[in-house]
Amino acid sequence: MTGSRADGTPQRPTLEQVAALAGVGRGTASRVINGSPSVSPQTRDAVMKAVAELGYVPNQAARSLVTRRTGAIALVISEPEERLFSEPFFAGVVRGISKVMDEHDRQLVLVLVHGAAERADEPAAYLSPQHVDGALLLSQHEGDDLPQRLRDRGLTLVHGGRPPGDEEASWVDVDNVGGARGAVAHLLERGRTTVATIAGPPDMQAGRDRLQGYREALGAVGMPFNPDLVSVGDFTELGGWRAMQSLLEQRDDLDAVFVASDPMALGALRALRESGRTVPGDVAVVGFDDSPMAAVSDPPLTTVNQPVERLGREMAEMLLGSLAEGGATEPRSVVLPTSLVLRGSS
Amino acid sequence: MTGSRADGTPQRPTLEQVAALAGVGRGTASRVINGSPSVSPQTRDAVMKAVAELGYVPNQAARSLVTRRTGAIALVISEPEERLFSEPFFAGVVRGISKVMDEHDRQLVLVLVHGAAERADEPAAYLSPQHVDGALLLSQHEGDDLPQRLRDRGLTLVHGGRPPGDEEASWVDVDNVGGARGAVAHLLERGRTTVATIAGPPDMQAGRDRLQGYREALGAVGMPFNPDLVSVGDFTELGGWRAMQSLLEQRDDLDAVFVASDPMALGALRALRESGRTVPGDVAVVGFDDSPMAAVSDPPLTTVNQPVERLGREMAEMLLGSLAEGGATEPRSVVLPTSLVLRGSS
DNA sequence: TTGAAAGCGCTAACAA
DNA sequence: TTGTTAGCGCTTTCAA
């Protein structure tokens, strides 16, 4: 039995009790718990049995105190706008991360870094090796020095998405360039001749990369890049709607458009409908994200699928890998392939 | 200076060093850190100064070891379907929770409880008083016994959303009944005479509550409840589209519809358009959620706004309040008001 | 009001 | 292979 204290809180058994029940010393019990090889099978069995009988669970605080490792990983999300969590992107990434953490018996500490307020005094003082072993960064802002500061504190970091101009960073990203290139190539193969694009915000790496893919696809078939066929949106439905209108004003002869996000593509679909055009008859449309809405829009949206859960998994595994090797390894990076999902809009 | 260890990890200063620098005993330094009243002002100042100078941050592990409190709160999300994170609902709630945790220097540990797999052996063994002081539960499933098991382990809990048939639970919810009632009352006041509803899944409390609000609004003006005017969806756009079609087949004379979620309302809008009807001319539509899409749909959607961030705040504050009082208090509950946002669809 | 000291539960170094 | 022991950094009695 485990006993309980005066306030009714069940009192967890300690390693001491496990050792006593197993008839061994505390050190030996500790070795068994931590999978040390230098323990005889009989001793191991006796300890395991005692652990099971008592329902023993190691006290993480005591353990951290001596090992100086916490078992916790921070998931840092900067400036959680409406967008961030709202996008299925986050759901998938977080799920992937969470599964890996579960598998490794590690805790995920969620840290939302809000705007200037927190930034002012000591930004996320909690994010130090004293509290977490490492950190996963999502949606960093351009020019933010938080990553550098965290590294200075001795934290091992892995970024979701390639951080621009940070050679020291380790990161995992989806192949935005390739995904966009493939989408535009698909439109060209279908015989479209005047392919426009609604690009994402130029201050976001994903926005820039997807525009780059558009250029590369044109270049691959010897078509010139024409600024008239590019309009910039902010990744929202409204932004896509406006961008599409502006494109139609400039070039009423366009017959296809690659849109750098599904919400923007839905806005574009609406603008096209309002202009009296048919999709894909008059204009073919391809989005990016493969969000749930894409499957049920009118018409269903051809779009680029990103392996979001896998992105989370890879991030988590890369971080745990670096931690296992003892930290100071070379920066590493992984790019995950995207795939085109064909639907009615193209 | 704080010194550093061989591996380059900066070595944090300890309370011992703070005490030495301030010229006091370790116990006294501890009292200052923890805001004990029985410390002279001069002593306090000296210690504070030493803390600032050394950049001292208490070691949470050491603290937990003796206080038996962790400073951590778990955010438990059951079965994170696509839906869950995808909805702006989650973004707001998590943001509210996060802010309160920041204010109280507490950590938020994210625990995603996946399907049967985890459930099978020991479900979230981590969720015990040894690791977290309490837990916030989001999107619990009907009949799930996780809450009860966590309480048995001695954890203090607060639910987001009213847990059906759990008298011991503390919870915070938005006024789903009132919000729905107000939405339908609004349609009736606008002169609509045949108000249908697309209800949410009957196995979800929010779905049931919103249907209840619909009934109450009809009852308030002496109108009978007519099953022909009710169709059930699954809170998705596709579900709303289908439900709207089925309603139109049964009752082609309906002139208004209250839809229990915005995604479903967008689907309903599409079905109405496809049937050749105008909104709000032929049929007025009101949704529920005030999601970003509602503002930019065609026409913009009248909908019920929920104070999502506040819901998170209230949950977090309720939990921390219960914890402060020392646990075994009465179950408590809070219902937050919703508000109708008038737009073009009604 | 303050200092000294015990001890929270564990790991790891050292002996045996 | 095993037991013993010295702390990890902190809070909290107990005396003074």
Side-chain angles (χ1 to χ4, degrees):
Chain A
M1 290 307 300
T2 59
S4 69
R5 290 182 293 167
D7 65 356
T9 308
Q11 178 74 295
R12 307 299 313 174
T14 69
L15 189 58
E16 184 78 51
Q17 298 172 40
V18 171
L21 180 58
V24 302
R26 203 172 59 215
T28 301
S30 174
R31 286 180 201 109
V32 173
I33 303 292
N34 294 288
S36 161
S38 49
V39 181
S40 77
Q42 308 93 301
T43 307
R44 178 182 311 281
D45 288 349
V47 173
M48 298 296 258
K49 187 154 164 289
V51 165
E53 187 163 333
L54 295 175
Y56 171 77
V57 178
N59 181 313
Q60 183 59 49
R63 190 176 256 178
S64 296
L65 193 54
V66 38
T67 61
R68 295 164 169 293
R69 276 174 286 106
T70 66
I73 297 293
L75 172 59
V76 182
I77 303 181
S78 289
E79 295 231 26
E81 311 290 347
E82 212 62 26
R83 274 195 47 244
L84 298 186
F85 268 105
S86 310
E87 289 176 12
F89 180 79
F90 268 71
V93 175
V94 172
R95 196 183 315 118
I97 291 172
S98 168
K99 284 184 179 171
V100 174
M101 293 301 161
D102 279 0
E103 291 161 10
H104 293 261
D105 286 316
R106 282 177 168 275
Q107 289 71 252
L108 227 209
V109 179
L110 185 63
V111 178
L112 266 42
V113 180
H114 315 97
E118 266 75 354
R119 196 68 46 92
D121 52 329
E122 196 38 48
Y126 174 77
L127 293 172
S128 81
Q130 196 167 133
H131 300 107
V132 294
D133 296 337
L136 264 11
L137 304 186
L138 241 30
S139 79
Q140 292 307 297
H141 288 250
E142 188 115 359
D144 191 348
D145 63 341
L146 182 66
Q148 187 53 54
R149 282 209 310 276
L150 296 186
R151 280 198 293 257
D152 289 346
R153 290 183 194 170
L155 275 185
T156 300
L157 264 39
V158 168
H159 296 248
R162 178 158 52 94
D166 186 341
E167 300 306 321
E168 299 169 64
S170 287
W171 51 269
V172 182
D173 202 357
V174 298
D175 186 6
N176 284 301
V177 176
R181 193 196 308 121
V184 174
H186 156 78
L187 289 168
L188 294 170
E189 283 162 16
R190 283 279 216 264
R192 304 290 169 163
T193 58
T194 312
V195 182
T197 188
I198 296 178
D203 65 337
M204 291 183 65
Q205 185 65 43
R208 285 197 299 272
D209 284 351
R210 292 171 195 180
L211 180 57
Q212 173 65 20
Y214 167 80
R215 299 183 74 135
E216 290 184 8
L218 293 184
V221 296
M223 292 184 66
F225 174 78
N226 185 343
D228 273 4
L229 289 171
V230 180
S231 184
V232 175
D234 58 0
F235 276 159
T236 70
E237 205 265 358
L238 185 58
W241 180 71
R242 288 189 180 133
M244 190 70 242
Q245 288 181 322
S246 122
L247 280 176
L248 291 175
E249 280 170 25
Q250 288 175 22
R251 293 289 299 257
D252 63 359
D253 61 326
L254 63 82
D255 61 4
V257 57
F258 163 63
V259 190
S261 87
D262 280 355
M264 289 201 298
L266 296 183
L269 244 31
R270 184 155 63 88
L272 286 167
R273 186 172 62 235
E274 288 166 6
S275 81
R277 287 174 174 78
T278 62
V279 174
D282 298 328
V283 179
V285 178
V286 178
F288 205 113
D289 282 348
D290 195 16
S291 69
M293 293 293 293
V296 298
S297 65
D298 179 23
L301 190 65
T302 292
T303 183
V304 180
N305 177 275
Q306 322 179 54
V308 286
E309 183 163 335
R310 177 141 173 249
L311 176 61
R313 290 202 75 95
E314 297 277 349
M315 287 175 65
E317 280 163 3
M318 181 181 287
L319 181 59
L320 296 184
S322 298
L323 255 23
E325 291 161 28
T329 37
E330 292 293 284
R332 50 185 78 177
S333 58
V334 167
V335 175
L336 303 176
T338 57
S339 58
L340 193 61
V341 181
L342 298 179
R343 297 212 182 87
S345 70
S346 72
Chain B
M1 288 309 297
T2 57
S4 69
R5 290 181 295 166
D7 64 356
T9 309
Q11 178 74 295
R12 306 300 313 175
T14 69
L15 189 58
E16 185 78 53
Q17 298 172 41
V18 170
L21 181 57
V24 302
R26 202 172 59 212
T28 301
S30 174
R31 286 179 200 111
V32 173
I33 302 292
N34 294 289
S36 160
S38 49
V39 181
S40 77
Q42 309 92 300
T43 306
R44 178 182 311 280
D45 289 348
V47 173
M48 298 294 258
K49 188 156 162 287
V51 165
E53 187 163 333
L54 295 174
Y56 172 78
V57 178
N59 181 313
Q60 184 61 48
R63 191 176 256 178
S64 295
L65 193 53
V66 39
T67 61
R68 291 162 173 294
R69 276 173 285 108
T70 68
I73 297 295
L75 172 59
V76 182
I77 304 182
S78 289
E79 295 233 25
E81 311 290 347
E82 212 62 26
R83 273 198 44 245
L84 298 187
F85 269 105
S86 310
E87 288 175 14
F89 180 79
F90 269 71
V93 175
V94 172
R95 196 184 313 119
I97 291 171
S98 169
K99 284 184 179 172
V100 173
M101 292 302 161
D102 280 359
E103 291 161 10
H104 293 261
D105 286 316
R106 282 175 167 277
Q107 288 71 252
L108 227 210
V109 179
L110 185 63
V111 178
L112 266 43
V113 181
H114 316 98
E118 268 74 355
R119 196 70 46 93
D121 51 330
E122 195 39 48
Y126 175 78
L127 293 173
S128 81
Q130 196 167 135
H131 300 108
V132 294
D133 296 336
L136 265 9
L137 305 185
L138 242 28
S139 78
Q140 291 307 299
H141 287 250
E142 189 115 358
D144 189 349
D145 62 342
L146 183 65
Q148 187 54 53
R149 282 210 308 276
L150 296 186
R151 278 197 295 258
D152 289 347
R153 291 183 193 169
L155 276 185
T156 301
L157 264 40
V158 169
H159 295 249
R162 178 158 52 95
D166 186 342
E167 300 304 321
E168 299 170 64
S170 287
W171 52 269
V172 181
D173 202 356
V174 297
D175 187 7
N176 285 302
V177 176
R181 192 195 308 120
V184 175
H186 156 78
L187 290 167
L188 295 170
E189 284 162 15
R190 284 278 217 264
R192 304 289 168 164
T193 57
T194 313
V195 182
T197 187
I198 297 178
D203 64 336
M204 293 183 64
Q205 186 65 42
R208 286 197 299 272
D209 284 350
R210 292 171 195 180
L211 181 56
Q212 173 65 18
Y214 167 81
R215 301 183 73 134
E216 289 184 8
L218 294 184
V221 297
M223 292 183 66
F225 173 78
N226 185 344
D228 272 3
L229 289 171
V230 179
S231 185
V232 174
D234 58 0
F235 275 159
T236 70
E237 205 265 359
L238 186 59
W241 179 71
R242 287 189 179 132
M244 190 71 242
Q245 288 182 322
S246 125
L247 279 176
L248 291 175
E249 280 170 24
Q250 288 176 23
R251 291 290 298 258
D252 63 359
D253 62 325
L254 61 84
D255 61 4
V257 56
F258 162 64
V259 190
S261 86
D262 280 355
M264 290 201 297
L266 296 183
L269 244 30
R270 183 155 63 89
L272 287 168
R273 185 172 62 232
E274 289 166 4
S275 82
R277 288 174 174 78
T278 63
V279 175
D282 297 329
V283 179
V285 177
V286 178
F288 204 114
D289 283 346
D290 194 16
S291 70
M293 293 293 294
V296 297
S297 66
D298 179 25
L301 191 65
T302 291
T303 183
V304 179
N305 177 277
Q306 324 178 52
V308 286
E309 183 164 335
R310 176 140 175 250
L311 176 61
R313 289 203 75 95
E314 297 276 349
M315 288 175 65
E317 280 163 3
M318 181 181 285
L319 180 59
L320 296 184
S322 298
L323 255 23
E325 291 160 27
T329 37
E330 292 292 284
R332 51 186 77 179
S333 59
V334 167
V335 175
L336 303 176
T338 57
S339 58
L340 193 62
V341 180
L342 298 179
R343 296 210 183 90
S345 70
S346 74

